[in-house]
Amino acid sequence: MPSETRRAGQLTAWALPFALFFAVTVEMAPTGALEHIAKAFGSDIGTAAAGSSLYALSTAVLALPLSALAQRFNLRKTAILTAGIFTVLGLATSAAPDMSTYLILRTIQGAAHGAFFPLVLALAAAAAPNNTGKATARVLLGNGCALALGVPAAEALSSLDWRIPLALASCGVLAAMICAPQPQARTTLTEMTTTAGSSGSFVPIALILAVSLAGHFSYYTFLAPLATHAGTQPSIVLAVYGGAVIIATALSGRLAGKRRLQRALIVLIAEAVILAGAALLAGPLVVFATAALAGTCFGLLPTLMQTEILDRSLGNQTIASGAAVVAFNAGIAAGSAGGATLVGVSIQTPALIGACLLGFAAIMLAFAGRNTNAQEPAMTSSAASH
């Protein structure tokens, strides 16, 4: 009996990472199947790519308002219901008869993703209120594995039929969420402050996260062309990057304690230097080294920053998670667009833009961390008086 209980506990603990793995695979899978989608609908690749753009736009725009709405209801039940809607929309998209229907359904599913992702993060934090960092890292491991493993698997299946991976991954979301954990009792305000060591609004941290991700994705969006230009195999470089992301994400929960903002600052500075090296130096060894190091930074930073956002939310974790999702998608869009504007100058220019944005994010975080440290003595004395 104890072994069955232990197995059930492990299944529950990994339900959210698996759900996020499948959800991100659904989001990213069409990127590697653009030619197959375009051919199936007798259209061009540019039109097929609009499905991914509309999905991301819908996610970014609607994540925050849908999070605010979802916070009014039971967290676990709402997350499972949203997963069910997401799955139905995924199956409908995979059965789309024409390009127009496909684009409309992808846009609507992006809205469901915008509601689902914050709910998963909030549920992870609520299910482990005394160890938000570890819970966040475990969930985000699903995101990293989707980029490193799920998307390549979806690309392989797309050679048979692009509809197959989209349908399977969509069903995987609901199947995983059925085993989602129950929220635990919240700690008091004083206990949360003592445990987290966090104070202040989560909005500045979300803004810093958006700027830092814009810097990272200015580089990552053009990593494959950069590898080709250096005379290396892009798939191997991307695999090195993905492996580094997975390993760093798996370890990131151990670093998301009271000093996480200081550690995040170190990561930002380190990646700024790494991307500057990628922009100023050339050669296959540089491409592999910077891909591995940048992947490590990307595996660490979201856990550190999103844990801080969740711990600052003080009972509004669903809205805070929505803000993190908006920051994530806005950073991806801004970074990709920023790199694209100057990639014609040099294939290495996007990395330089990324270094500048990460440096700016580091300056912002340094000021935010100073304000937090200044507030802590006041909050400690206030807690003592109670």
Side-chain angles (χ1 to χ4, degrees):
M1 192 73 175
S3 61
E4 292 180 3
T5 303
R6 188 160 45 249
R7 282 196 297 271
Q10 291 174 348
L11 181 62
T12 299
W14 286 101
L16 298 181
F18 271 109
L20 203 59
F21 168 83
F22 287 118
V24 174
T25 299
V26 169
E27 179 184 15
M28 303 301 295
T31 303
L34 292 179
E35 292 184 359
H36 301 291
I37 296 172
K39 184 178 180 180
F41 292 134
S43 183
D44 58 272
I45 293 178
T47 304
S52 297
S53 300
L54 290 170
Y55 188 107
L57 179 63
S58 182
T59 298
V61 171
L62 295 175
L64 205 52
L66 289 176
S67 299
L69 177 63
Q71 188 171 251
R72 299 171 180 266
F73 305 100
N74 179 279
L75 181 57
R76 184 177 183 272
K77 290 181 179 178
T78 305
I80 294 175
L81 175 61
T82 306
I85 295 172
F86 183 92
T87 295
V88 170
L89 288 169
L91 291 173
T93 303
S94 66
D98 52 58
M99 180 62 77
S100 297
T101 305
Y102 169 79
L103 294 178
I104 292 171
L105 289 172
R106 280 290 288 177
T107 303
I108 299 173
Q109 192 176 25
H113 188 110
F116 178 69
F117 206 121
L119 286 169
V120 170
L121 287 173
L123 184 56
N130 297 323
N131 201 341
T132 307
K134 184 178 179 180
T136 303
R138 179 178 288 174
V139 170
L140 291 179
L141 186 61
N143 182 69
C145 288
L147 295 175
L149 303 174
V151 175
E155 290 180 18
L157 286 173
S158 294
S159 62
L160 300 175
D161 190 332
W162 68 270
R163 302 173 191 271
I164 295 175
L166 191 60
L168 289 177
S170 295
C171 291
V173 173
L174 179 58
M177 283 303 296
I178 291 174
C179 302
Q182 292 283 355
Q184 301 300 311
R186 286 175 181 164
T187 55
T188 64
L189 177 61
T190 302
E191 289 171 335
M192 288 181 72
T193 303
T194 303
T195 301
S198 302
S199 60
S201 170
F202 62 77
V203 175
I205 306 301
L207 179 60
I208 294 168
L209 177 61
V211 175
S212 60
L213 289 174
H216 178 82
F217 279 96
S218 178
Y219 158 79
Y220 175 71
T221 302
F222 302 95
L223 178 56
L226 185 63
T228 301
H229 184 265
T232 62
Q233 184 67 16
S235 58
I236 299 177
V237 174
L238 291 172
V240 169
Y241 168 90
V245 171
I246 292 174
I247 294 171
T249 303
L251 298 175
S252 62
R254 304 183 182 207
L255 302 176
K258 289 187 177 182
R259 297 180 62 84
R260 56 178 166 259
L261 285 185
Q262 292 92 325
R263 290 162 182 160
L265 179 60
I266 294 172
V267 172
L268 286 173
I269 295 172
E271 188 171 8
V273 173
I274 291 164
L275 296 195
L280 300 175
L281 304 175
L285 184 60
V286 172
V287 171
F288 275 106
T290 53
L293 293 172
T296 300
C297 292
F298 181 68
L300 295 173
L301 189 64
T303 298
L304 297 173
M305 301 290 280
Q306 292 191 63
T307 301
E308 181 71 15
I309 290 171
L310 287 168
D311 276 344
R312 287 190 178 206
S313 63
L314 300 178
N316 294 313
Q317 290 177 321
T318 306
I319 295 178
S321 299
V325 172
V326 172
F328 215 98
N329 284 272
I332 292 173
S336 301
T341 57
L342 293 176
V343 70
V345 177
S346 168
I347 193 61
Q348 293 172 284
T349 304
L352 184 59
I353 296 173
C356 293
L357 288 170
L358 284 159
F360 180 58
I363 294 172
M364 295 171 67
L365 186 57
F367 279 105
R370 182 179 298 178
N371 291 336
T372 298
N373 292 334
Q375 290 175 8
E376 281 180 0
M379 292 193 71
T380 302
S381 60
S382 175
S385 66
H386 291 290

